[in-house]
Amino acid sequence: MKILIPLALLLVLATPSVAQQAGEAEFGKRCARCHDTAAAVAILKPHTDAKERAAWLERKLSRHHARDAGERKAIIGYLERALGATK
Ligand code: HEC
């Protein structure tokens, strides 16, 4: 049974579409009641430097509704893709 969890994680990380859905689902669960995706992307837009943005988001979200590192990673990935789609 114990092997199933790392295997499932590996699958999620290895399959972009699955990882994307996980990020979207986490965002829906953790963030959407206060921010819709467009609003969250609008918040990110002034942070034009990708490295600075990633570091800022990591700091911000670790204290703001996404304390779990895995969840935070999925949500940040989802937001980065949403931001990329609006460029
Ligand atoms: C309970 C409502 C609520 C939830 C849930 C919530 N937020 Fe927020 N968020 C706010 C409010 C209010 C602010 C503005 C005040 C602040 O910065 O804390 C904000 C600010 C932010 C900011 C900008 C902060 C800044 O310093 O400019 C980001 C980015 C953000 N939220 C992303 C998220 C993400 C991603 C999630 C899900 C993990 C999330 N929020 C969940 C209410 C919420």
Side-chain angles (χ1 to χ4, degrees), residues 30-31 33-35 43 56 60-61 64-66 75 79:
R30 301 274 168 213
C31 322
R33 73 192 156 100
C34 299
H35 308 277
I43 293 173
W56 172 75
K60 172 75 193 173
L61 298 187
H64 186 82
H65 307 283
I75 289 169
L79 289 175

Side-chain angles (χ1 to χ4, degrees), residues 11-30:
L11 251 183
V12 167
L13 295 175
T15 317
S17 63
V18 173
Q20 198 160 334
Q21 284 164 15
E24 191 170 359
E26 293 298 346
F27 184 87
K29 225 165 48 188
R30 301 274 168 213

